[in-house]
Amino acid sequence: MAMTPATEHQPLSPQPSPATASQKERRRLHTKLKLATQIGEGIDGYIIGGIGMAMAALTADLPLSTLMQGLVGASPLIGIFVGGPLFGRLADRFGRRPVFLADMLIFLVGSVLQFFVTDGTQLFLLRLLMGVAIGGEYAIGAPLLSEYAPRKGRGRLLASLEISWYVGYALATVVGALFANVDGGWRWSLASSAVIAVVCVSLRGGVPESARWLLSRGRREEAEALIAKYGIEVDIDAELEERAQTRQAGFRALFNRRNLRGTVFAGVFWAALVLPYFAIGTFWTQVFDALHMGDNAVAALLVYSFTAVAGVTAGCLVVDRIGRRKLLIPPFWITAGALALVAAWPSSTPVVVGGFLFFIFLNAASSALTAVYPLEVFPTSVRTTGVGFATAMSRVGAAIGTFLLPMGLERFGAQFVLLVGAGVLAAGGLVSHFLAPETTDMDLAMAARTAREGAA
């Protein structure tokens, strides 16, 4: 901070130099970046959650076969498979800032066009495109925020993005319920995400580039100017050392000896968390019908959504206190047991309600780590590529589960579907036990090194 020389008529007082932002400007940037990222995460949940309440009405209006129901339900998840790696690679190659803005414009266009669809194929293709944008949001939003975040409290800050996701999911459920009895109301509920997209586009203008990305590209002077201006906490030497040791970029770098462990862990733990949640949440009405509790399906879906919000909020509050591993591994086993209990005693209302509440709450609490762990296990040079790839792998499982669930319910029943979900969660717990690093309160460069070396 530059100081203005004292004179007889002018007391000594701090003045910002042209290269240093004031504390107010720094706070404004951090607030703007946080809101732009949180709202982007919220619209992801809103778009995916909105289809659950709209599915029954649009199935009757368009109409949709069982096959097309599965495709429409799974379409955003399929799109994420493309969008995560694509936007992640673009952000690592061309910078975080331009991809951050372009991604939200796709949300805006796709949201509006949903209102005008006339058949299932059109809706499938539009939601597929929006899934591409969701994948892009996962690949660029949280990584950009992480590269501005201090190491202390970084977990809570990033985990708060998952609160936004679940709030968006729950809000879509409420909006869907409000339009449930309106003729063609599903069109309004699906298209309403355009309002959120407009707000987010306005926030993303003027966000500067990531200093860590600039360092990874050898643009040290620009990075240091940005670090000095906004007081960004970055271990410059560690970032430059990582760049010097990086001999490979792009998707192939994710599978070399330096990054393979983090790539496998990030993809597997994320997939195991979200597969049961998306599959059951998207077709919650059908699941409840199969358990002979269909009269309470709408109320149960609202409870499902808001219990998830409570769970992810709890995860956000404890992620920096108890550490990453404790928030991830025990809940995997507990939620697996909860779904298995519901499958074993489907006629017992207390078991069904209690089992699902345990599953939803703890699954959501652990899901706070999907905005934390993938960003910490990859170095800056491939961070958004790695996060994009992990996003894609997680959505492969989620898309398969969402696509197959209605047919699984029809052919094998709810008990079989729930047991498969329990098995997936147990597999996630096993893999995480061996591969999950403890990265709490580490600088991003050190966290990536810890993940690579297998330290827990």
Side-chain angles (χ1 to χ4, degrees):
M1 185 75 73
M3 306 293 290
T4 303
T7 68
E8 183 180 355
H9 304 289
Q10 181 177 356
L12 184 67
S13 61
Q15 297 291 330
S17 71
T20 304
S22 66
Q23 287 298 321
K24 183 177 180 180
E25 289 174 321
R26 292 182 180 186
R27 287 194 299 269
R28 185 184 299 120
L29 172 63
H30 293 158
T31 300
K32 184 176 184 178
L33 181 57
K34 183 179 178 181
L35 284 175
T37 310
Q38 286 183 321
I39 294 173
E41 195 81 9
I43 199 173
D44 294 350
Y46 191 93
I47 289 167
I48 293 174
I51 199 67
M53 287 296 290
M55 184 63 76
L58 68 87
T59 295
D61 281 0
L62 291 179
L64 303 182
S65 65
T66 302
L67 174 63
M68 187 55 73
Q69 287 181 57
L71 286 172
V72 168
S75 55
L77 307 178
I78 299 170
I80 290 170
F81 177 73
V82 177
L86 174 62
F87 279 82
R89 182 70 188 108
L90 290 174
D92 273 337
R93 185 172 182 181
F94 298 108
R96 314 310 198 210
R97 185 175 180 271
V99 179
F100 194 49
L101 180 60
D103 178 65
M104 191 51 56
L105 293 173
I106 298 176
F107 277 122
L108 179 57
V109 174
S111 296
V112 172
L113 291 179
Q114 284 183 110
F115 185 86
F116 301 100
V117 297
T118 57
D119 59 44
T121 301
Q122 292 177 4
L123 185 59
F124 166 74
L125 292 174
L126 272 177
R127 292 185 67 80
L128 186 69
L129 176 65
M130 296 177 76
V132 172
I134 292 173
E137 187 65 27
Y138 290 142
I140 182 57
L144 177 59
L145 183 60
S146 75
E147 291 173 357
Y148 270 89
R151 62 185 180 87
K152 289 287 187 181
R154 184 181 64 238
R156 179 179 295 185
L157 175 63
L158 296 176
S160 71
L161 298 179
E162 288 301 299
I163 298 178
S164 300
W165 192 97
Y166 282 96
V167 168
Y169 193 102
L171 181 59
T173 302
V174 172
V175 171
L178 291 175
F179 283 104
N181 297 319
V182 176
D183 186 30
W186 61 269
R187 296 180 183 274
W188 291 101
S189 63
L190 293 183
S192 61
S193 55
V195 177
I196 307 174
V198 167
V199 173
C200 203
V201 167
S202 67
L203 284 170
R204 294 192 174 188
V207 171
E209 188 51 84
S210 161
R212 290 182 186 268
W213 179 80
L214 291 170
L215 287 170
S216 75
R217 308 298 287 187
R219 295 159 62 176
R220 180 168 184 168
E221 289 187 6
E222 294 175 68
E224 289 182 337
L226 195 60
I227 290 167
K229 181 175 182 179
Y230 291 108
I232 307 167
E233 187 179 302
V234 178
D235 188 334
I236 296 176
D237 291 337
E239 289 288 347
L240 292 176
E241 180 183 352
E242 185 67 44
R243 179 177 185 268
Q245 294 176 359
T246 299
R247 295 178 174 84
Q248 192 177 30
F251 296 112
R252 288 187 298 174
L254 300 179
F255 302 96
N256 62 29
R257 293 181 62 184
R258 292 173 59 81
N259 299 314
L260 180 60
R261 185 186 180 97
T263 299
V264 173
F265 165 65
V268 171
F269 103 84
W270 200 344
L273 278 176
V274 302
L275 189 155
Y277 185 88
F278 282 150
I280 294 172
T282 300
F283 295 99
W284 181 250
T285 301
Q286 291 92 321
V287 172
F288 242 57
D289 285 340
L291 292 171
H292 308 292
M293 300 178 71
D295 292 341
N296 302 310
V298 173
L301 183 56
L302 291 171
V303 172
Y304 187 99
S305 298
F306 284 98
T307 301
V309 173
V312 74
T313 302
C316 176
L317 293 174
V318 303
V319 63
D320 286 325
R321 295 183 180 181
I322 68 173
R324 314 313 194 220
R325 283 176 60 86
K326 289 181 180 178
L327 183 57
L328 182 65
I329 298 170
F332 259 134
W333 295 108
I334 296 171
T335 53
L339 288 189
L341 281 175
V342 175
W345 287 281
S347 60
S348 170
T349 299
V351 170
V352 171
V353 173
F356 272 126
L357 287 178
F358 264 100
F359 161 69
I360 299 161
F361 184 87
L362 288 178
N363 179 270
S366 294
S367 292
L369 290 168
T370 63
V372 180
Y373 252 144
L375 319 175
E376 295 180 336
V377 299
F378 295 110
T380 300
S381 59
V382 293
R383 179 166 293 120
T384 58
T385 300
V387 173
F389 182 82
T391 300
M393 293 300 99
S394 74
R395 268 45 184 187
V396 168
I400 291 172
T402 304
F403 174 65
L404 293 179
L405 188 140
M407 290 180 279
L409 284 174
E410 187 175 73
R411 184 167 182 178
F412 300 108
Q415 289 172 278
F416 174 80
V417 168
L418 293 172
L419 285 174
V420 171
V424 169
L425 292 165
L430 187 63
V431 171
S432 297
H433 176 80
F434 290 104
L435 296 185
E438 185 53 75
T439 54
T440 304
D441 289 343
M442 291 183 181
D443 180 79
L444 284 177
M446 179 57 70
R449 187 178 307 163
T450 299
R452 180 168 64 244
E453 295 171 352

